[in-house]
Amino acid sequence: LTVPYISVVVPVYNAENSIERCVNSITGQKFTDIEILLVDDGSKDGGGILCDKLSQNDNRVRVIHKENAGVAAARNTGMDTATGKWLYFVDSDDWLAEGAVDRICQRVQDNEDTDILMFDAYQNVLEKEQIWEHFSSKKVWSCKEDIWELQRGMLYFPLVREAMKIPLAAPWDKVYRREFLQKNGIAFREQLKVLDDMIFNFEAFGKALKVAYFKDRIYHYRFVPDSITNQYKANRVELDCMVWEHLQEYINEACQQGLWSKQEKEAFLQAYYARIVKSFSICTRLQFFHKKNPEKFWSRMVFVKQIMRSQPYKEAFQKVKLSNMEWKLKVMAFVGRMKWGLGVHLLYLGQRWIGK
């Protein structure tokens, strides 16, 4: 059997209304040396059946049915099954731009010694489309300190010195050399139910020796305000804390190995603190003051103050450098230092009224 050049992994869960468009955008590309792995993560709608039908129409499409275990587990199943030289992840409610695979393959053929290639995309919100652009020009990084800076940008992208416009954490605007991921044991952390893609890229960039960025817009990312990532989560802080624990272990291990200088360690800690403040701010919308939160207002206030006094939030509010933060998060960090619960609510109201 011939080995495909690129394996495209698509986790599928209750995507009956979008999976056909997604798959057709991949199979319709001119470049044909690909395999498409549809990982049905225990869909409860007709998405799994539709995947089987799509595979009958194109022998490059393979379907893996599994019990529901979350998107991280689905992506890992796809990675374990993939045979291509390069790995690319696509979400089932998004689609590829015309000619995307041709452009990806041209870039990877010209950069075979690169571990990770990054690209631009489009963000689609309802009928509006805008460019999803990382940097103003193409770049290559092979100096470890520069790649570490990108790694910190996974946690909080404004810390990258190059003018960055959007976050780095998504997997769908990157292509990975499969041997590089295998050799370094890099996979999605299935125990993490939020920010698992951020942690995957954080760990991948931590091992990468060469990273390249190109201006090709290869992907259409469909932003849905009411999607699962924007829904009420009663335990969002608890889920976030699992991520903070994982990052703390990573930082501690890197320090024990003598991987970073004192200056690098402080830079990573600042990225870690900034991410915690940012996620606390997100929790004001997804948990603390969400309209589906059943708790009375003052009970919410007590909970918010309790979180601000707990670790690692207390440490992050106290130690993050305000000069590193976007202006809205500067204010949130200051309010957190003051442990002013009502101030958190006022900031939440302000974000609502300005459309954030």
Side-chain angles (χ1 to χ4, degrees), residues 152-174:
R152 296 193 293 272
M154 294 298 158
L155 304 184
Y156 188 62
F157 76 89
L159 292 179
V160 179
R161 284 170 295 178
E162 298 278 355
M164 284 194 63
K165 304 170 184 178
I166 54 171
L168 275 173
W172 40 253
D173 55 9
K174 300 170 187 68

mmCIF file with all atom_site columns, all heavy atoms in Angstrom, residues 152-174:
data_model
loop_
_atom_site.group_PDB
_atom_site.id
_atom_site.type_symbol
_atom_site.label_atom_id
_atom_site.label_alt_id
_atom_site.label_comp_id
_atom_site.label_asym_id
_atom_site.label_entity_id
_atom_site.label_seq_id
_atom_site.pdbx_PDB_ins_code
_atom_site.Cartn_x
_atom_site.Cartn_y
_atom_site.Cartn_z
_atom_site.occupancy
_atom_site.B_iso_or_equiv
_atom_site.pdbx_formal_charge
_atom_site.auth_seq_id
_atom_site.auth_comp_id
_atom_site.auth_asym_id
_atom_site.auth_atom_id
_atom_site.pdbx_PDB_model_num
ATOM 1   N N   . ARG A 1 152 ? 5.317  30.473 24.361 1.00 0.00 ? 152 ARG A N   1
ATOM 2   C CA  . ARG A 1 152 ? 4.631  31.308 25.360 1.00 0.00 ? 152 ARG A CA  1
ATOM 3   C C   . ARG A 1 152 ? 3.415  32.005 24.755 1.00 0.00 ? 152 ARG A C   1
ATOM 4   O O   . ARG A 1 152 ? 2.415  32.234 25.436 1.00 0.00 ? 152 ARG A O   1
ATOM 5   C CB  . ARG A 1 152 ? 5.612  32.336 25.931 1.00 0.00 ? 152 ARG A CB  1
ATOM 6   C CG  . ARG A 1 152 ? 6.766  31.717 26.688 1.00 0.00 ? 152 ARG A CG  1
ATOM 7   C CD  . ARG A 1 152 ? 7.526  32.760 27.494 1.00 0.00 ? 152 ARG A CD  1
ATOM 8   N NE  . ARG A 1 152 ? 8.232  33.722 26.662 1.00 0.00 ? 152 ARG A NE  1
ATOM 9   C CZ  . ARG A 1 152 ? 9.474  33.568 26.194 1.00 0.00 ? 152 ARG A CZ  1
ATOM 10  N NH1 . ARG A 1 152 ? 10.141 32.452 26.467 1.00 0.00 ? 152 ARG A NH1 1
ATOM 11  N NH2 . ARG A 1 152 ? 10.055 34.504 25.471 1.00 0.00 ? 152 ARG A NH2 1
ATOM 12  N N   . GLY A 1 153 ? 3.518  32.311 23.459 1.00 0.00 ? 153 GLY A N   1
ATOM 13  C CA  . GLY A 1 153 ? 2.390  32.921 22.766 1.00 0.00 ? 153 GLY A CA  1
ATOM 14  C C   . GLY A 1 153 ? 1.173  32.022 22.697 1.00 0.00 ? 153 GLY A C   1
ATOM 15  O O   . GLY A 1 153 ? 0.051  32.507 22.500 1.00 0.00 ? 153 GLY A O   1
ATOM 16  N N   . MET A 1 154 ? 1.368  30.698 22.859 1.00 0.00 ? 154 MET A N   1
ATOM 17  C CA  . MET A 1 154 ? 0.222  29.782 22.942 1.00 0.00 ? 154 MET A CA  1
ATOM 18  C C   . MET A 1 154 ? -0.659 30.123 24.140 1.00 0.00 ? 154 MET A C   1
ATOM 19  O O   . MET A 1 154 ? -1.874 30.014 24.086 1.00 0.00 ? 154 MET A O   1
ATOM 20  C CB  . MET A 1 154 ? 0.695  28.330 23.096 1.00 0.00 ? 154 MET A CB  1
ATOM 21  C CG  . MET A 1 154 ? 1.423  27.774 21.905 1.00 0.00 ? 154 MET A CG  1
ATOM 22  S SD  . MET A 1 154 ? 0.373  27.727 20.462 1.00 0.00 ? 154 MET A SD  1
ATOM 23  C CE  . MET A 1 154 ? 1.618  27.683 19.192 1.00 0.00 ? 154 MET A CE  1
ATOM 24  N N   . LEU A 1 155 ? -0.007 30.535 25.221 1.00 0.00 ? 155 LEU A N   1
ATOM 25  C CA  . LEU A 1 155 ? -0.745 30.858 26.436 1.00 0.00 ? 155 LEU A CA  1
ATOM 26  C C   . LEU A 1 155 ? -1.356 32.251 26.358 1.00 0.00 ? 155 LEU A C   1
ATOM 27  O O   . LEU A 1 155 ? -2.504 32.464 26.740 1.00 0.00 ? 155 LEU A O   1
ATOM 28  C CB  . LEU A 1 155 ? 0.173  30.761 27.656 1.00 0.00 ? 155 LEU A CB  1
ATOM 29  C CG  . LEU A 1 155 ? 0.902  29.423 27.868 1.00 0.00 ? 155 LEU A CG  1
ATOM 30  C CD1 . LEU A 1 155 ? 1.692  29.452 29.169 1.00 0.00 ? 155 LEU A CD1 1
ATOM 31  C CD2 . LEU A 1 155 ? -0.076 28.259 27.864 1.00 0.00 ? 155 LEU A CD2 1
ATOM 32  N N   . TYR A 1 156 ? -0.556 33.194 25.835 1.00 0.00 ? 156 TYR A N   1
ATOM 33  C CA  . TYR A 1 156 ? -1.036 34.581 25.769 1.00 0.00 ? 156 TYR A CA  1
ATOM 34  C C   . TYR A 1 156 ? -0.313 35.276 24.626 1.00 0.00 ? 156 TYR A C   1
ATOM 35  O O   . TYR A 1 156 ? 0.829  35.694 24.780 1.00 0.00 ? 156 TYR A O   1
ATOM 36  C CB  . TYR A 1 156 ? -0.791 35.283 27.107 1.00 0.00 ? 156 TYR A CB  1
ATOM 37  C CG  . TYR A 1 156 ? -1.429 36.650 27.205 1.00 0.00 ? 156 TYR A CG  1
ATOM 38  C CD1 . TYR A 1 156 ? -2.815 36.790 27.119 1.00 0.00 ? 156 TYR A CD1 1
ATOM 39  C CD2 . TYR A 1 156 ? -0.660 37.790 27.370 1.00 0.00 ? 156 TYR A CD2 1
ATOM 40  C CE1 . TYR A 1 156 ? -3.410 38.045 27.192 1.00 0.00 ? 156 TYR A CE1 1
ATOM 41  C CE2 . TYR A 1 156 ? -1.246 39.046 27.449 1.00 0.00 ? 156 TYR A CE2 1
ATOM 42  C CZ  . TYR A 1 156 ? -2.625 39.162 27.365 1.00 0.00 ? 156 TYR A CZ  1
ATOM 43  O OH  . TYR A 1 156 ? -3.219 40.403 27.425 1.00 0.00 ? 156 TYR A OH  1
ATOM 44  N N   . PHE A 1 157 ? -0.976 35.380 23.489 1.00 0.00 ? 157 PHE A N   1
ATOM 45  C CA  . PHE A 1 157 ? -0.278 35.785 22.264 1.00 0.00 ? 157 PHE A CA  1
ATOM 46  C C   . PHE A 1 157 ? 0.263  37.215 22.262 1.00 0.00 ? 157 PHE A C   1
ATOM 47  O O   . PHE A 1 157 ? 1.241  37.487 21.554 1.00 0.00 ? 157 PHE A O   1
ATOM 48  C CB  . PHE A 1 157 ? -1.158 35.528 21.035 1.00 0.00 ? 157 PHE A CB  1
ATOM 49  C CG  . PHE A 1 157 ? -2.278 36.500 20.820 1.00 0.00 ? 157 PHE A CG  1
ATOM 50  C CD1 . PHE A 1 157 ? -2.075 37.650 20.086 1.00 0.00 ? 157 PHE A CD1 1
ATOM 51  C CD2 . PHE A 1 157 ? -3.547 36.242 21.318 1.00 0.00 ? 157 PHE A CD2 1
ATOM 52  C CE1 . PHE A 1 157 ? -3.113 38.539 19.863 1.00 0.00 ? 157 PHE A CE1 1
ATOM 53  C CE2 . PHE A 1 157 ? -4.586 37.123 21.102 1.00 0.00 ? 157 PHE A CE2 1
ATOM 54  C CZ  . PHE A 1 157 ? -4.370 38.279 20.372 1.00 0.00 ? 157 PHE A CZ  1
ATOM 55  N N   . PRO A 1 158 ? -0.285 38.184 23.021 1.00 0.00 ? 158 PRO A N   1
ATOM 56  C CA  . PRO A 1 158 ? 0.329  39.521 22.987 1.00 0.00 ? 158 PRO A CA  1
ATOM 57  C C   . PRO A 1 158 ? 1.764  39.568 23.505 1.00 0.00 ? 158 PRO A C   1
ATOM 58  O O   . PRO A 1 158 ? 2.456  40.567 23.308 1.00 0.00 ? 158 PRO A O   1
ATOM 59  C CB  . PRO A 1 158 ? -0.603 40.352 23.890 1.00 0.00 ? 158 PRO A CB  1
ATOM 60  C CG  . PRO A 1 158 ? -1.932 39.661 23.794 1.00 0.00 ? 158 PRO A CG  1
ATOM 61  C CD  . PRO A 1 158 ? -1.574 38.204 23.742 1.00 0.00 ? 158 PRO A CD  1
ATOM 62  N N   . LEU A 1 159 ? 2.231  38.482 24.148 1.00 0.00 ? 159 LEU A N   1
ATOM 63  C CA  . LEU A 1 159 ? 3.601  38.468 24.650 1.00 0.00 ? 159 LEU A CA  1
ATOM 64  C C   . LEU A 1 159 ? 4.634  38.204 23.554 1.00 0.00 ? 159 LEU A C   1
ATOM 65  O O   . LEU A 1 159 ? 5.838  38.334 23.787 1.00 0.00 ? 159 LEU A O   1
ATOM 66  C CB  . LEU A 1 159 ? 3.747  37.403 25.749 1.00 0.00 ? 159 LEU A CB  1
ATOM 67  C CG  . LEU A 1 159 ? 2.994  37.692 27.056 1.00 0.00 ? 159 LEU A CG  1
ATOM 68  C CD1 . LEU A 1 159 ? 3.201  36.563 28.046 1.00 0.00 ? 159 LEU A CD1 1
ATOM 69  C CD2 . LEU A 1 159 ? 3.446  39.010 27.656 1.00 0.00 ? 159 LEU A CD2 1
ATOM 70  N N   . VAL A 1 160 ? 4.193  37.805 22.368 1.00 0.00 ? 160 VAL A N   1
ATOM 71  C CA  . VAL A 1 160 ? 5.122  37.604 21.250 1.00 0.00 ? 160 VAL A CA  1
ATOM 72  C C   . VAL A 1 160 ? 5.524  38.973 20.709 1.00 0.00 ? 160 VAL A C   1
ATOM 73  O O   . VAL A 1 160 ? 4.668  39.809 20.405 1.00 0.00 ? 160 VAL A O   1
ATOM 74  C CB  . VAL A 1 160 ? 4.467  36.750 20.142 1.00 0.00 ? 160 VAL A CB  1
ATOM 75  C CG1 . VAL A 1 160 ? 5.440  36.561 18.970 1.00 0.00 ? 160 VAL A CG1 1
ATOM 76  C CG2 . VAL A 1 160 ? 4.063  35.385 20.699 1.00 0.00 ? 160 VAL A CG2 1
ATOM 77  N N   . ARG A 1 161 ? 6.825  39.204 20.594 1.00 0.00 ? 161 ARG A N   1
ATOM 78  C CA  . ARG A 1 161 ? 7.304  40.543 20.206 1.00 0.00 ? 161 ARG A CA  1
ATOM 79  C C   . ARG A 1 161 ? 6.865  40.945 18.815 1.00 0.00 ? 161 ARG A C   1
ATOM 80  O O   . ARG A 1 161 ? 6.518  42.093 18.568 1.00 0.00 ? 161 ARG A O   1
ATOM 81  C CB  . ARG A 1 161 ? 8.840  40.586 20.281 1.00 0.00 ? 161 ARG A CB  1
ATOM 82  C CG  . ARG A 1 161 ? 9.385  40.669 21.703 1.00 0.00 ? 161 ARG A CG  1
ATOM 83  C CD  . ARG A 1 161 ? 10.879 40.465 21.712 1.00 0.00 ? 161 ARG A CD  1
ATOM 84  N NE  . ARG A 1 161 ? 11.216 39.111 21.274 1.00 0.00 ? 161 ARG A NE  1
ATOM 85  C CZ  . ARG A 1 161 ? 12.464 38.660 21.152 1.00 0.00 ? 161 ARG A CZ  1
ATOM 86  N NH1 . ARG A 1 161 ? 13.478 39.459 21.382 1.00 0.00 ? 161 ARG A NH1 1
ATOM 87  N NH2 . ARG A 1 161 ? 12.700 37.419 20.770 1.00 0.00 ? 161 ARG A NH2 1
ATOM 88  N N   . GLU A 1 162 ? 6.876  39.976 17.890 1.00 0.00 ? 162 GLU A N   1
ATOM 89  C CA  . GLU A 1 162 ? 6.380  40.278 16.544 1.00 0.00 ? 162 GLU A CA  1
ATOM 90  C C   . GLU A 1 162 ? 4.907  40.653 16.653 1.00 0.00 ? 162 GLU A C   1
ATOM 91  O O   . GLU A 1 162 ? 4.174  40.059 17.434 1.00 0.00 ? 162 GLU A O   1
ATOM 92  C CB  . GLU A 1 162 ? 6.527  39.044 15.639 1.00 0.00 ? 162 GLU A CB  1
ATOM 93  C CG  . GLU A 1 162 ? 7.946  38.580 15.451 1.00 0.00 ? 162 GLU A CG  1
ATOM 94  C CD  . GLU A 1 162 ? 8.678  39.380 14.383 1.00 0.00 ? 162 GLU A CD  1
ATOM 95  O OE1 . GLU A 1 162 ? 8.038  40.233 13.736 1.00 0.00 ? 162 GLU A OE1 1
ATOM 96  O OE2 . GLU A 1 162 ? 9.885  39.149 14.223 1.00 0.00 ? 162 GLU A OE2 1
ATOM 97  N N   . ALA A 1 163 ? 4.492  41.626 15.861 1.00 0.00 ? 163 ALA A N   1
ATOM 98  C CA  . ALA A 1 163 ? 3.108  42.102 15.949 1.00 0.00 ? 163 ALA A CA  1
ATOM 99  C C   . ALA A 1 163 ? 2.150  40.980 15.575 1.00 0.00 ? 163 ALA A C   1
ATOM 100 O O   . ALA A 1 163 ? 2.051  40.583 14.418 1.00 0.00 ? 163 ALA A O   1
ATOM 101 C CB  . ALA A 1 163 ? 2.904  43.297 15.034 1.00 0.00 ? 163 ALA A CB  1
ATOM 102 N N   . MET A 1 164 ? 1.466  40.433 16.570 1.00 0.00 ? 164 MET A N   1
ATOM 103 C CA  . MET A 1 164 ? 0.502  39.364 16.344 1.00 0.00 ? 164 MET A CA  1
ATOM 104 C C   . MET A 1 164 ? -0.900 39.901 16.507 1.00 0.00 ? 164 MET A C   1
ATOM 105 O O   . MET A 1 164 ? -1.173 40.705 17.384 1.00 0.00 ? 164 MET A O   1
ATOM 106 C CB  . MET A 1 164 ? 0.726  38.216 17.327 1.00 0.00 ? 164 MET A CB  1
ATOM 107 C CG  . MET A 1 164 ? 1.901  37.350 16.978 1.00 0.00 ? 164 MET A CG  1
ATOM 108 S SD  . MET A 1 164 ? 1.852  35.828 17.934 1.00 0.00 ? 164 MET A SD  1
ATOM 109 C CE  . MET A 1 164 ? 0.336  35.114 17.345 1.00 0.00 ? 164 MET A CE  1
ATOM 110 N N   . LYS A 1 165 ? -1.802 39.372 15.673 1.00 0.00 ? 165 LYS A N   1
ATOM 111 C CA  . LYS A 1 165 ? -3.156 39.891 15.665 1.00 0.00 ? 165 LYS A CA  1
ATOM 112 C C   . LYS A 1 165 ? -4.166 38.909 16.246 1.00 0.00 ? 165 LYS A C   1
ATOM 113 O O   . LYS A 1 165 ? -5.262 39.298 16.620 1.00 0.00 ? 165 LYS A O   1
ATOM 114 C CB  . LYS A 1 165 ? -3.554 40.249 14.226 1.00 0.00 ? 165 LYS A CB  1
ATOM 115 C CG  . LYS A 1 165 ? -2.580 41.242 13.572 1.00 0.00 ? 165 LYS A CG  1
ATOM 116 C CD  . LYS A 1 165 ? -2.857 41.385 12.089 1.00 0.00 ? 165 LYS A CD  1
ATOM 117 C CE  . LYS A 1 165 ? -1.815 42.296 11.447 1.00 0.00 ? 165 LYS A CE  1
ATOM 118 N NZ  . LYS A 1 165 ? -1.994 42.435 10.002 1.00 0.00 ? 165 LYS A NZ  1
ATOM 119 N N   . ILE A 1 166 ? -3.821 37.632 16.288 1.00 0.00 ? 166 ILE A N   1
ATOM 120 C CA  . ILE A 1 166 ? -4.764 36.605 16.710 1.00 0.00 ? 166 ILE A CA  1
ATOM 121 C C   . ILE A 1 166 ? -4.053 35.533 17.536 1.00 0.00 ? 166 ILE A C   1
ATOM 122 O O   . ILE A 1 166 ? -2.832 35.404 17.473 1.00 0.00 ? 166 ILE A O   1
ATOM 123 C CB  . ILE A 1 166 ? -5.443 35.939 15.499 1.00 0.00 ? 166 ILE A CB  1
ATOM 124 C CG1 . ILE A 1 166 ? -4.382 35.416 14.522 1.00 0.00 ? 166 ILE A CG1 1
ATOM 125 C CG2 . ILE A 1 166 ? -6.395 36.884 14.788 1.00 0.00 ? 166 ILE A CG2 1
ATOM 126 C CD1 . ILE A 1 166 ? -4.932 34.567 13.419 1.00 0.00 ? 166 ILE A CD1 1
ATOM 127 N N   . PRO A 1 167 ? -4.804 34.733 18.288 1.00 0.00 ? 167 PRO A N   1
ATOM 128 C CA  . PRO A 1 167 ? -4.193 33.668 19.088 1.00 0.00 ? 167 PRO A CA  1
ATOM 129 C C   . PRO A 1 167 ? -3.515 32.606 18.222 1.00 0.00 ? 167 PRO A C   1
ATOM 130 O O   . PRO A 1 167 ? -3.819 32.434 17.047 1.00 0.00 ? 167 PRO A O   1
ATOM 131 C CB  . PRO A 1 167 ? -5.390 33.080 19.849 1.00 0.00 ? 167 PRO A CB  1
ATOM 132 C CG  . PRO A 1 167 ? -6.414 34.158 19.853 1.00 0.00 ? 167 PRO A CG  1
ATOM 133 C CD  . PRO A 1 167 ? -6.239 34.893 18.565 1.00 0.00 ? 167 PRO A CD  1
ATOM 134 N N   . LEU A 1 168 ? -2.609 31.867 18.859 1.00 0.00 ? 168 LEU A N   1
ATOM 135 C CA  . LEU A 1 168 ? -1.838 30.826 18.171 1.00 0.00 ? 168 LEU A CA  1
ATOM 136 C C   . LEU A 1 168 ? -2.338 29.414 18.446 1.00 0.00 ? 168 LEU A C   1
ATOM 137 O O   . LEU A 1 168 ? -1.870 28.472 17.829 1.00 0.00 ? 168 LEU A O   1
ATOM 138 C CB  . LEU A 1 168 ? -0.371 30.892 18.631 1.00 0.00 ? 168 LEU A CB  1
ATOM 139 C CG  . LEU A 1 168 ? 0.583  31.864 17.951 1.00 0.00 ? 168 LEU A CG  1
ATOM 140 C CD1 . LEU A 1 168 ? 1.905  31.863 18.705 1.00 0.00 ? 168 LEU A CD1 1
ATOM 141 C CD2 . LEU A 1 168 ? 0.805  31.469 16.510 1.00 0.00 ? 168 LEU A CD2 1
ATOM 142 N N   . ALA A 1 169 ? -3.269 29.248 19.384 1.00 0.00 ? 169 ALA A N   1
ATOM 143 C CA  . ALA A 1 169 ? -3.491 27.944 19.996 1.00 0.00 ? 169 ALA A CA  1
ATOM 144 C C   . ALA A 1 169 ? -4.233 26.923 19.137 1.00 0.00 ? 169 ALA A C   1
ATOM 145 O O   . ALA A 1 169 ? -4.195 25.728 19.428 1.00 0.00 ? 169 ALA A O   1
ATOM 146 C CB  . ALA A 1 169 ? -4.236 28.124 21.323 1.00 0.00 ? 169 ALA A CB  1
ATOM 147 N N   . ALA A 1 170 ? -4.947 27.325 18.102 1.00 0.00 ? 170 ALA A N   1
ATOM 148 C CA  . ALA A 1 170 ? -5.757 26.388 17.314 1.00 0.00 ? 170 ALA A CA  1
ATOM 149 C C   . ALA A 1 170 ? -4.884 25.386 16.567 1.00 0.00 ? 170 ALA A C   1
ATOM 150 O O   . ALA A 1 170 ? -3.790 25.724 16.114 1.00 0.00 ? 170 ALA A O   1
ATOM 151 C CB  . ALA A 1 170 ? -6.639 27.155 16.331 1.00 0.00 ? 170 ALA A CB  1
ATOM 152 N N   . PRO A 1 171 ? -5.351 24.137 16.377 1.00 0.00 ? 171 PRO A N   1
ATOM 153 C CA  . PRO A 1 171 ? -4.578 23.172 15.588 1.00 0.00 ? 171 PRO A CA  1
ATOM 154 C C   . PRO A 1 171 ? -4.863 23.245 14.087 1.00 0.00 ? 171 PRO A C   1
ATOM 155 O O   . PRO A 1 171 ? -4.066 22.775 13.286 1.00 0.00 ? 171 PRO A O   1
ATOM 156 C CB  . PRO A 1 171 ? -5.035 21.822 16.160 1.00 0.00 ? 171 PRO A CB  1
ATOM 157 C CG  . PRO A 1 171 ? -6.418 22.067 16.652 1.00 0.00 ? 171 PRO A CG  1
ATOM 158 C CD  . PRO A 1 171 ? -6.475 23.511 17.089 1.00 0.00 ? 171 PRO A CD  1
ATOM 159 N N   . TRP A 1 172 ? -5.978 23.846 13.679 1.00 0.00 ? 172 TRP A N   1
ATOM 160 C CA  . TRP A 1 172 ? -6.395 23.770 12.276 1.00 0.00 ? 172 TRP A CA  1
ATOM 161 C C   . TRP A 1 172 ? -5.677 24.749 11.345 1.00 0.00 ? 172 TRP A C   1
ATOM 162 O O   . TRP A 1 172 ? -5.896 24.705 10.136 1.00 0.00 ? 172 TRP A O   1
ATOM 163 C CB  . TRP A 1 172 ? -7.912 23.938 12.142 1.00 0.00 ? 172 TRP A CB  1
ATOM 164 C CG  . TRP A 1 172 ? -8.544 24.966 13.028 1.00 0.00 ? 172 TRP A CG  1
ATOM 165 C CD1 . TRP A 1 172 ? -9.320 24.717 14.130 1.00 0.00 ? 172 TRP A CD1 1
ATOM 166 C CD2 . TRP A 1 172 ? -8.502 26.393 12.898 1.00 0.00 ? 172 TRP A CD2 1
ATOM 167 N NE1 . TRP A 1 172 ? -9.743 25.896 14.696 1.00 0.00 ? 172 TRP A NE1 1
ATOM 168 C CE2 . TRP A 1 172 ? -9.257 26.940 13.956 1.00 0.00 ? 172 TRP A CE2 1
ATOM 169 C CE3 . TRP A 1 172 ? -7.885 27.271 11.987 1.00 0.00 ? 172 TRP A CE3 1
ATOM 170 C CZ2 . TRP A 1 172 ? -9.414 28.316 14.122 1.00 0.00 ? 172 TRP A CZ2 1
ATOM 171 C CZ3 . TRP A 1 172 ? -8.035 28.638 12.160 1.00 0.00 ? 172 TRP A CZ3 1
ATOM 172 C CH2 . TRP A 1 172 ? -8.800 29.135 13.211 1.00 0.00 ? 172 TRP A CH2 1
ATOM 173 N N   . ASP A 1 173 ? -4.838 25.629 11.866 1.00 0.00 ? 173 ASP A N   1
ATOM 174 C CA  . ASP A 1 173 ? -4.037 26.479 10.989 1.00 0.00 ? 173 ASP A CA  1
ATOM 175 C C   . ASP A 1 173 ? -2.569 26.051 10.998 1.00 0.00 ? 173 ASP A C   1
ATOM 176 O O   . ASP A 1 173 ? -1.682 26.817 10.657 1.00 0.00 ? 173 ASP A O   1
ATOM 177 C CB  . ASP A 1 173 ? -4.174 27.959 11.360 1.00 0.00 ? 173 ASP A CB  1
ATOM 178 C CG  . ASP A 1 173 ? -3.851 28.243 12.817 1.00 0.00 ? 173 ASP A CG  1
ATOM 179 O OD1 . ASP A 1 173 ? -3.365 27.327 13.507 1.00 0.00 ? 173 ASP A OD1 1
ATOM 180 O OD2 . ASP A 1 173 ? -4.090 29.382 13.276 1.00 0.00 ? 173 ASP A OD2 1
ATOM 181 N N   . LYS A 1 174 ? -2.343 24.780 11.365 1.00 0.00 ? 174 LYS A N   1
ATOM 182 C CA  . LYS A 1 174 ? -0.983 24.237 11.435 1.00 0.00 ? 174 LYS A CA  1
ATOM 183 C C   . LYS A 1 174 ? -0.932 22.847 10.817 1.00 0.00 ? 174 LYS A C   1
ATOM 184 O O   . LYS A 1 174 ? -1.915 22.109 10.867 1.00 0.00 ? 174 LYS A O   1
ATOM 185 C CB  . LYS A 1 174 ? -0.514 24.168 12.892 1.00 0.00 ? 174 LYS A CB  1
ATOM 186 C CG  . LYS A 1 174 ? -0.480 25.518 13.577 1.00 0.00 ? 174 LYS A CG  1
ATOM 187 C CD  . LYS A 1 174 ? -0.256 25.405 15.060 1.00 0.00 ? 174 LYS A CD  1
ATOM 188 C CE  . LYS A 1 174 ? -0.406 26.760 15.730 1.00 0.00 ? 174 LYS A CE  1
ATOM 189 N NZ  . LYS A 1 174 ? -1.802 27.265 15.692 1.00 0.00 ? 174 LYS A NZ  1
#
